[in-house]
């Protein structure tokens, strides 16, 4: 049974409620691992990152900031790129992350 969007949102909220005032939590995605010169092992997300976000893409960072006015959960992830997606698979992109993952705000990882 897949984990619901509300469950991921509740997990983030639970962690934020346990954080100290003026603190910040930064969770980065796992790095892809090269198998040989031009191919990688199948990607596996960092367990903590996936537990809190449900996001399974590399090159991303989840940031939790208790009390932030514009939303407490932020995701920095790769932008949509048709050429890159041709070789590595579909990317969610920051725009879709907000609705698909229930994240408060999302930005390109380049930011």
């Amino acid at each position: 049974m897949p984990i619901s969007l509300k469950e991921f949102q509740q997990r983030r909220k639970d962690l934020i409620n346990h954080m100290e005032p003026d603190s910040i939590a930064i969770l980065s995605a796992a790095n892809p691992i090269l198998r040989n010169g031009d191919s990688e092992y199948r990607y596996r997300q960092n367990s903590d990152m996936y537990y809190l976000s449900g996001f399974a893409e590399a090159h991303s960072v989840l940031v939790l900031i208790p009390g932030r006015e514009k939303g407490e959960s932020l995701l920095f992830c790769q932008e949509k790129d048709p050429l890159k997606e041709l070789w590595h698979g579909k990317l969610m992109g920051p725009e879709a992350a907000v609705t698909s993952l229930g994240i408060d705000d999302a930005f390109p990882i380049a930011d």
Side-chain angles (χ1 to χ4, degrees):
M1 179 164 107
I3 300 170
S4 72
L5 176 66
K6 288 188 183 270
E7 175 67 21
F8 288 114
Q9 290 173 315
Q10 185 61 48
R11 290 174 180 180
R12 289 190 296 272
K13 186 174 183 175
D14 289 345
L15 177 58
I16 288 168
N17 289 337
H18 283 89
M19 292 172 66
E20 295 289 327
D22 299 322
S23 63
I24 185 171
I26 302 172
L27 297 105
S28 64
N31 291 322
I33 299 174
L34 275 179
R35 187 166 136 172
N36 55 38
D38 62 354
S39 67
E40 298 170 345
Y41 284 102
R42 183 175 176 181
Y43 183 73
R44 183 184 182 284
Q45 184 59 281
N46 171 317
S47 296
D48 295 330
M49 171 84 159
Y50 189 81
Y51 180 83
L52 292 169
S53 67
F55 192 62
E57 292 180 16
H59 311 294
S60 57
V61 176
L62 176 66
V63 180
L64 303 177
I65 308 171
R68 180 175 177 260
E69 289 182 21
K70 294 182 180 179
E72 299 176 313
S73 60
L74 292 78
L75 181 72
F76 294 85
C77 61
Q78 299 176 80
E79 293 186 81
K80 300 283 292 167
D81 180 347
L83 182 59
K84 188 173 192 173
E85 292 179 52
L86 178 67
W87 293 101
H88 297 282
K90 294 277 185 195
L91 296 171
M92 184 177 292
E95 298 80 21
V98 173
T99 54
S100 298
L101 301 173
I103 298 290
D104 296 321
D105 219 344
F107 305 94
I109 190 69
D111 287 357

